[in-house]
Amino acid sequence: MSRPDPRYGSATVTPHILRYVAVVAAERGCPVGPLLRRAGLGEDDLAAVGLRVSYRQGGRFIREAMTALDDPALGLAVGRRQTVTAWGLLGLGLLSAATVRESLELGMRHQQLAGSMLDFHLEAKGDRATAVVATARYADGDLQALLVEEAFASIVSVIRYANSEAFAPLAVSVRHARPAYAVQYRRHFRCPVRFRTPRDRLVLDDDWLDRTLPTADPYTLATVVGLLDEAAGLGRERRDLVESLEAAVARSLPRPPTLAQQAHQRAVSERTLRRRLGECGTSYQALVDSVRLARTEELLVGTDLPLSRVAAQVGYADVRALRRAVARWFGTSPSAVRRRRQDTAVRYIPDAPEPAVFRQV
């Protein structure tokens, strides 16, 4: 199981996935306002240019939508619904690239700007194949399956939109167990699918990846890449600030430094630091909460410590305060989080070999 990341509560995720979850919900006649409010968001937020949400908020909204729609296959539905414009400015860059491969590499390079809630990288495979490998960014196994399904389905949908409706991957392999809706995998991906494999991978034929895109435009690509690199640079500066503050909080638990102490260490005023955090879409209290959340989850999942010890280690006065915080973060009790995460970890033990690479005929 991956170690919980303190950035879980920081507003660093662009809401592209959330927007299309909302689109699918609205198309099915489900009001999204109440679902968003329970995640601490409003309907206008998803339309706000430059908005960033936390992984916690995004995950809460997605779970609320899954429950309201009673659709465990929501990830596939959201992925199928997307076109290249779903990825904003990055989508224009994908269309402007010379080949499908260059388009995919650009998407990997700027995956943060596409609202990714997972981490992705490319792996060269034997026999002219390349795999998109997805890894969890946070210890959140029960949401992992949906995020993988959405990501792989959207990648295939975007390639079909940009290149050819006939496109199909060579193979899909996922870590989670075969769901009741497995037939939907076959319908969308049109390739062999394996479940309970060691990693989440989408295997693509290099012959497809090396095809020229009909929309390729070097000038537009250069313009878009410049804008994307500028946005990524600004994003990195903001992430560096947030991560340095989070690291300081994590080192000092159970007694985190005050905002004034953090500002003094950085030779800026408290007001300036508060303003910079606001530009990052967060506050110092939210940042402290995110670190406590990650540490709490780590202790609940990875240890058998009694709740009184967990509360003491993360800086809560007593178990009641811990229970209130966990209810706010996860919508359940500490013992339920402990059971749920442990059950999820068992469910993802690999029980099948890596799939062979299947070439299209």
Side-chain angles (χ1 to χ4, degrees):
M1 184 185 309
S2 56
R3 181 183 178 92
D5 190 318
R7 291 171 297 173
Y8 186 99
S10 299
T12 58
V13 179
T14 56
H16 295 314
I17 296 175
L18 276 60
R19 289 193 304 111
Y20 273 80
V21 170
V23 167
V24 170
E27 289 176 346
R28 297 182 184 182
C30 176
V32 298
L35 312 182
L36 287 165
R37 284 193 292 273
R38 287 196 284 273
L41 298 166
E43 292 187 66
D44 293 340
D45 289 338
L46 295 188
V49 176
L51 174 76
R52 298 294 185 271
V53 300
S54 69
Y55 183 96
R56 177 188 58 78
Q57 287 176 306
R60 177 68 183 272
F61 173 60
I62 292 171
R63 288 188 177 92
E64 293 286 348
M66 288 178 68
T67 300
L69 295 171
D70 191 23
D71 184 6
L74 182 60
L76 291 175
V78 172
R80 289 195 302 264
R81 182 63 178 75
Q82 294 181 45
T83 65
V84 71
T85 56
W87 295 3
L89 180 63
L90 178 58
L92 178 59
L94 302 183
L95 285 175
S96 305
T99 65
V100 177
R101 182 185 300 280
E102 290 185 16
S103 179
L104 190 61
E105 289 172 345
L106 180 64
M108 295 294 104
R109 191 167 115 207
H110 290 291
Q111 57 188 269
Q112 295 284 349
L113 298 179
S116 168
M117 294 174 69
L118 300 169
D119 288 324
F120 298 93
H121 69 275
L122 298 178
E123 273 186 7
K125 303 292 294 179
D127 196 23
R128 298 276 303 158
T130 299
V132 178
V133 182
T135 55
R137 189 176 300 166
Y138 304 96
D140 198 7
D142 59 341
L143 195 60
Q144 171 90 352
L146 181 144
L147 295 178
V148 168
E149 290 169 351
E150 183 279 333
F152 288 174
S154 65
I155 289 171
V156 170
S157 294
V158 167
I159 293 176
R160 286 174 180 161
Y161 180 91
N163 185 258
S164 171
E165 179 59 31
F167 169 77
L170 294 177
V172 174
S173 60
V174 293
R175 296 172 58 221
H176 54 268
R178 179 184 298 273
Y181 54 88
V183 65
Q184 295 190 37
Y185 276 79
R186 287 281 188 168
R187 289 173 181 166
H188 181 67
F189 294 113
R190 307 172 200 158
C191 71
V193 179
R194 295 289 299 275
F195 299 92
R196 287 192 178 276
T197 60
R199 292 190 297 171
D200 296 303
R201 299 193 313 173
L202 177 70
V203 184
L204 309 176
D205 191 329
D206 283 352
D207 290 340
W208 274 105
L209 295 184
D210 293 334
R211 292 191 180 191
T212 300
L213 287 175
T215 52
D217 188 308
Y219 178 84
T220 300
L221 177 63
T223 302
V224 171
V225 167
L227 293 172
L228 291 173
D229 287 343
E230 181 180 351
L234 179 60
R236 276 193 297 271
E237 290 178 8
R238 292 176 174 175
R239 286 195 300 273
D240 287 346
L241 171 63
V242 170
E243 290 172 18
S244 69
L245 291 169
E246 287 173 332
V249 171
R251 286 193 303 268
S252 63
L253 284 180
R255 291 179 292 277
T258 65
L259 177 63
Q261 290 170 329
Q262 295 272 33
H264 178 74
Q265 290 182 353
R266 288 161 179 76
V268 298
S269 69
E270 186 175 346
R271 180 178 179 181
T272 296
L273 185 55
R274 184 180 293 109
R275 175 179 56 79
R276 289 180 181 175
L277 284 171
E279 292 170 351
C280 298
T282 190
S283 67
Y284 187 61
Q285 186 57 54
L287 185 150
V288 171
D289 281 348
S290 76
V291 175
R292 282 178 166 153
L293 180 154
R295 180 60 177 157
T296 298
E297 187 175 33
E298 181 181 5
L299 293 172
L300 290 175
V301 175
T303 75
D304 294 322
L305 288 175
L307 295 184
S308 58
R309 292 275 303 280
V310 174
Q313 289 199 24
V314 297
Y316 287 107
D318 51 37
V319 172
R320 286 181 299 175
L322 175 68
R323 290 185 188 279
R324 287 194 296 269
V326 170
R328 185 174 72 252
W329 294 329
F330 299 107
T332 188
S333 66
S335 58
V337 170
R338 178 167 273 169
R339 285 195 306 270
R340 185 176 66 190
R341 303 299 179 179
Q342 289 171 345
D343 290 345
T344 299
V346 171
R347 193 162 60 247
Y348 285 110
I349 293 175
D351 66 356
E354 286 274 3
V357 173
F358 295 89
R359 184 162 295 279
Q360 292 172 244
V361 294

